[in-house]
């Protein structure tokens, strides 16, 4: 019963106690009801059984510490390159939410046909957000690492621009619909590939590029390391109600929007770096992250706690 | 000079907050709860004897129940020692979909006890 919320010894004791009640209900059913209450308390449908070596994003560990008001060992001391300014969202937001969830994008969908190679698609499956929780805020986090060779460059050569686009529509939504991408089987992928190949062979009258909309743009200095945070609340709200085609990120040279910036992989961590031997553990902590902030109607919030002396 | 001390019945503790540290590894939850490793949940225990002291936070109902109990204990027991103030805790955990979640849960730790 490794997947049970109640340990075996506790279960046996509860069954014994339930037997003393002398009701018509079977003792194990009474204990199962109690187990359901425990799951409900945490908003779970079953007991989580994560892999032992599953890494926990440092950002989430830091959010926990920030909520607890723990600034004794700032994350910048623990993790080299950490941006000291990283914190919970503003108190206006933190006081209206009580849950933060982190989502990783689906790597297998990072390329979009019809878009240049340096456009990386970030598709987050947020369909598991509990329906009883109200989404208040969502932010996209992109990790940037300094490019050491850029430190000595003049200002204008160090600057790059991050553009974030929302993918509104694909040329043919029926074929490229990924709203249920979790259920895409290998067979479906194979069929999709064949359909796309045929279209390329015979030519398609339809527009090939997806329709995108610029949602954020930011000029960044490549000689420093930090996390970039983008408010994507409106887009995330739409994904809950409508199709989710994700976001597209491009990094370009400042002033030359048509040229992809060099060293993109080593600067903004949008893709795995196969040259780095510390991957994939490092990738897990630095890969793009979608943080959603929700409220379940209970009277708690994520505001920074004041340290109370008992 | 032999002086026989008057033997007193040990006094039962009056209603107050008691220590209880919930260690998540004790209930085998440490594989999915990342932080904290446990927390001070406390519990309430003790008598609610007459006279109900100020710190017992007795309600009007508890005072009347004490009166009735004094007249005839078979009609009602003395009031119970229960949590009167609870506080939330935050938990960082991995959910059933392997998503990492930070969530605050209300009424997880006892802040104050009283006779109710």
């Amino acid at each position: 019963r490794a997947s049970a919320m109640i340990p075996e010894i506790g279960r046996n004791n509860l069954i014994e106690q339930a037997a003393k009640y002398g009701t018509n209900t079977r003792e194990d059913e009474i204990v199962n009801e109690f187990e359901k209450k425990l799951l409900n308390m945490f908003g779970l449908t079953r007991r989580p059984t994560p892999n032992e070596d599953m890494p926990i994003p440092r950002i989430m560990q830091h959010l926990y510490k920030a909520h607890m008001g723990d600034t004794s060992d700032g994350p910048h001391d623990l993790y080299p390159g950490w941006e000291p300014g990283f914190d919970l969202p503003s108190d206006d937001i933190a006081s209206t939410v009580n849950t933060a969830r982190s989502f990783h994008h689906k790597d297998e969908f990072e390329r979009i046909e019809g878009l240049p190679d340096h456009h990386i698609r970030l598709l987050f499956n947020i369909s598991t957000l509990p329906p009883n929780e109200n989404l208040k805020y969502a932010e996209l986090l992109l990790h940037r690492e300094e490019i050491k060779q850029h430190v000595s460059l003049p200002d204008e050569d160090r600057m790059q621009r991050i553009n974030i686009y929302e993918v509104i529509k694909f040329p043919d939504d029926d074929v490229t619909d990924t709203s249920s991408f979790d259920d895409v089987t290998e067979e479906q992928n194979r069929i999709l590939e064949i359909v796309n190949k045929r279209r390329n062979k015979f030519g398609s009258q339809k527009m090939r590029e997806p329709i995108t909309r610029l949602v954020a743009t930011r000029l960044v200095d490549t000689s420093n390391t930090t996390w970039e945070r983008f408010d994507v609340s409106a887009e995330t709200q739409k994904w809950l109600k409508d199709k989710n085609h994700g976001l597209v990120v491009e990094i370009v040279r400042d002033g030359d929007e048509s040229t992809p910036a060099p060293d993109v992989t080593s600067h903004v961590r949008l893709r795995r770096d196969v040259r780095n031997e510390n991957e994939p553990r490092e990738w897990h902590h630095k890969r793009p992250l979608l943080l959603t902030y929700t409220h379940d109607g209970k009277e708690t919030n994520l505001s920074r706690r004041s340290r109370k002396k008992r | 000079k032999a002086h026989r001390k008057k033997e007193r019945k040990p006094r039962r503790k009056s209603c107050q907050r008691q220590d209880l540290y919930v260690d998540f590894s004790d209930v085998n939850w440490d594989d999915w709860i990342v932080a904290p490793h446990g927390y001070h949940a406390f519990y309430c225990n003790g008598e609610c004897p007459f006279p109900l002291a100020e710190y017992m936070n007795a309600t009007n109902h508890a005072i009347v129940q004490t009166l009735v109990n004094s007249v005839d204990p078979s009609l009602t027991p003395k009031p119970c020692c229960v949590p009167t103030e609870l506080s939330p805790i935050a938990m960082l955990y991995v959910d059933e979909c392997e998503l990492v979640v930070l969530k605050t849960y209300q009424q997880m730790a006892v802040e104050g006890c009283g006779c109710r």
Side-chain angles (χ1 to χ4, degrees):
Chain A
R1 296 197 61 85
S3 62
M5 284 293 274
I6 308 169
E8 196 64 40
I9 186 167
R11 171 169 281 271
N12 292 339
N13 285 334
L14 289 173
I15 285 175
E16 245 176 58
Q17 288 176 36
K20 287 177 190 162
Y21 263 103
T23 62
N24 291 333
T25 320
R26 278 177 45 191
E27 292 84 18
D28 57 343
E29 281 175 26
I30 295 172
V31 177
N32 288 345
E33 275 305 308
F34 175 65
E35 190 165 31
K36 268 188 206 163
K37 278 184 187 167
L38 277 173
L39 288 168
N40 281 341
M41 196 176 105
F42 290 107
L44 299 169
T45 51
R46 59 186 160 82
R47 186 197 191 282
T49 49
N51 285 330
E52 250 177 57
D53 55 351
M54 182 184 158
I56 307 299
R58 286 178 195 143
I59 288 277
M60 293 304 285
Q61 296 177 40
H62 176 54
L63 285 184
Y64 172 75
K65 291 180 83 175
H67 169 70
M68 298 305 288
D70 185 354
T71 52
S72 55
D73 50 352
H76 47 291
D77 300 329
L78 284 178
Y79 316 118
W82 193 277
E83 173 61 24
F86 193 87
D87 204 347
L88 284 164
S90 70
D91 208 50
D92 284 352
I93 295 165
S95 63
T96 62
V97 299
N98 65 3
T99 310
R101 271 188 189 78
S102 61
F103 294 86
H104 287 142
H105 71 286
K106 301 276 174 187
D107 310 57
E108 62 271 33
F109 295 105
E110 69 183 23
R111 285 283 306 117
I112 297 185
E113 193 194 348
L115 287 182
D117 277 356
H118 68 285
H119 285 217
I120 308 293
R121 182 205 206 181
L122 302 177
L123 188 60
F124 300 96
N125 179 7
I126 58 163
S127 64
T128 51
L129 272 177
N132 64 322
E133 291 188 16
N134 195 357
L135 180 72
K136 302 274 189 180
Y137 182 66
E139 59 180 347
L140 173 69
L141 272 63
L142 300 179
H143 189 261
R144 290 200 295 111
E145 281 170 44
E146 64 165 2
I147 303 176
K148 290 198 169 61
Q149 302 90 315
H150 284 204
V151 176
S152 54
L153 291 178
D155 281 2
E156 61 270 23
D157 292 341
R158 292 205 313 263
M159 305 310 277
Q160 290 181 357
R161 182 169 289 283
I162 301 177
N163 292 326
I164 313 273
Y165 300 90
E166 173 193 12
V167 181
I168 295 173
K169 194 170 165 39
F170 277 105
D172 184 344
D173 261 352
D174 292 336
V175 174
T176 50
D177 178 17
T178 51
S179 55
S180 58
F181 42 80
D182 250 6
D183 304 326
V184 173
T185 60
E186 269 184 37
E187 180 62 13
Q188 284 169 313
N189 265 328
R190 200 178 58 78
I191 293 168
L192 194 66
E193 211 170 287
I194 292 168
V195 168
N196 285 333
K197 271 185 189 165
R198 281 190 181 167
R199 278 168 151 195
N200 292 341
K201 191 174 176 183
F202 299 112
S204 170
Q205 297 303 308
K206 289 185 179 176
M207 177 187 61
R208 303 297 306 149
E209 283 185 22
I211 299 170
T212 58
R213 182 179 71 89
L214 184 68
V215 293
T217 180
R218 189 172 299 164
L219 202 57
V220 296
D221 185 340
T222 55
S223 64
N224 62 31
T225 299
T226 188
W227 281 89
E228 296 292 342
R229 306 171 78 156
F230 299 91
D231 179 356
V232 290
S233 306
E235 291 69 34
T236 313
Q237 290 280 10
K238 273 190 236 168
W239 299 339
L240 287 174
K241 293 172 195 149
D242 206 349
K243 282 179 179 169
N244 175 4
H245 294 309
L247 301 165
V248 165
V249 182
E250 73 164 347
I251 321 286
V252 291
R253 277 182 193 278
D254 181 34
D256 183 5
E257 308 277 310
S258 59
T259 312
D263 300 322
V264 164
T265 310
S266 58
H267 179 217
V268 183
R269 294 303 302 269
L270 297 175
R271 279 181 174 155
R272 286 175 190 275
D273 184 358
V274 287
R275 297 164 300 175
N276 187 344
E277 60 185 21
N278 290 327
E279 296 268 341
R281 199 151 190 96
E282 194 181 317
W283 165 243
H284 187 88
H285 290 296
K286 292 178 178 174
R287 62 184 295 183
L289 209 61
L290 177 77
L291 292 187
T292 61
Y293 298 89
T294 56
H295 199 276
D296 62 5
K298 308 276 169 61
E299 285 175 13
T300 56
N301 63 56
L302 278 185
S303 294
R304 187 184 285 278
R305 279 185 59 175
S306 54
R307 305 287 288 172
K308 270 200 285 188
K309 275 190 180 173
R310 294 196 184 277
Chain B
K1 281 262 177 169
H3 180 73
R4 207 174 146 209
K5 258 189 182 174
K6 191 178 174 187
E7 273 187 21
R8 276 189 170 182
K9 261 181 154 181
R11 275 183 72 177
R12 293 194 67 181
K13 272 189 178 172
S14 56
C15 175
Q16 58 184 283
R17 194 172 73 159
Q18 315 283 335
D19 284 335
L20 167 64
Y21 181 78
V22 176
D23 189 328
F24 291 132
S25 64
D26 287 344
V27 288
N28 295 351
W29 288 2
D30 52 335
D31 59 337
W32 62 278
I33 298 179
V34 180
H37 297 306
Y39 74 105
H40 292 280
F42 302 101
Y43 70 98
C44 297
N45 196 23
E47 292 272 294
C48 290
F50 178 81
L52 293 169
E54 194 67 31
Y55 70 87
M56 289 178 187
N57 294 316
T59 55
N60 288 344
H61 178 271
I63 293 166
V64 174
Q65 189 174 336
T66 304
L67 170 71
V68 176
N69 171 266
S70 71
V71 173
D72 184 352
S74 70
L75 293 175
T76 176
K78 285 176 188 165
C80 291
C81 178
V82 293
T84 52
E85 195 191 342
L86 294 148
S87 60
I89 65 161
M91 283 168 53
L92 182 66
Y93 65 89
V94 182
D95 74 5
E96 66 268 54
C97 306
E98 299 222 332
L99 291 174
V100 180
V101 183
L102 168 65
K103 193 175 177 80
T104 50
Y105 291 96
Q106 61 180 2
Q107 301 175 344
M108 293 292 282
V110 175
E111 289 293 318
C113 299
C115 292
R116 297 291 147 98

